[in-house]
Amino acid sequence: MAVPMEWYLFLSAAVFCIGLFGILVRQNALSFLMSVELMLNAANINLVAFAYFHGTLTGQVFALFVIGLAAAEVAVGIGVILVVNRNFDDIDVTDAATMRW
């Protein structure tokens, strides 16, 4: 018994919506990073599901590239968060809008 494609798409849409909600509502920079990771994982679910149903490996290869991109995004994001924390003693993203030299 195979799982229908619609279930994968529903799961991916739910994970993407949770990530989008996290980006729109939260003001913590770490929550932003986690929400972006959720959105990228939703894209990975879609890529792997379509690759499975079409019988190719292309979606899985793209998913590996997305995982690499997510790792690079986290590395840069943590660096930015550390600089904001050093300058403002908080990781609230609304404070960083007032950065001045």
Side-chain angles (χ1 to χ4, degrees):
M1 181 168 130
V3 179
M5 176 69 121
E6 291 83 18
W7 289 16
Y8 290 110
L9 296 178
F10 178 74
L11 174 66
S12 176
V15 171
F16 189 86
C17 288
I18 291 170
L20 185 64
F21 178 76
I23 285 179
L24 294 176
V25 173
R26 304 286 182 202
Q27 293 182 350
N28 189 346
L30 289 176
S31 297
F32 272 18
L33 284 178
M34 287 189 293
S35 298
V36 169
E37 290 294 322
L38 281 175
M39 294 170 72
L40 289 173
N41 284 332
N44 281 342
I45 292 170
N46 275 338
L47 288 170
V48 172
F50 282 119
Y52 175 72
F53 280 98
H54 288 291
T56 63
L57 293 176
T58 307
Q60 294 176 6
V61 171
F62 276 118
L64 287 175
F65 283 122
V66 171
I67 291 170
L69 176 76
E73 176 256 332
V74 167
V76 171
I78 293 293
V80 169
I81 288 171
L82 289 175
V83 169
V84 169
N85 187 25
R86 186 182 312 146
N87 289 337
F88 295 104
D89 296 326
D90 192 16
I91 54 175
D92 186 11
V93 294
T94 57
D95 291 341
T98 62
M99 272 206 273
R100 294 189 182 144
W101 294 99

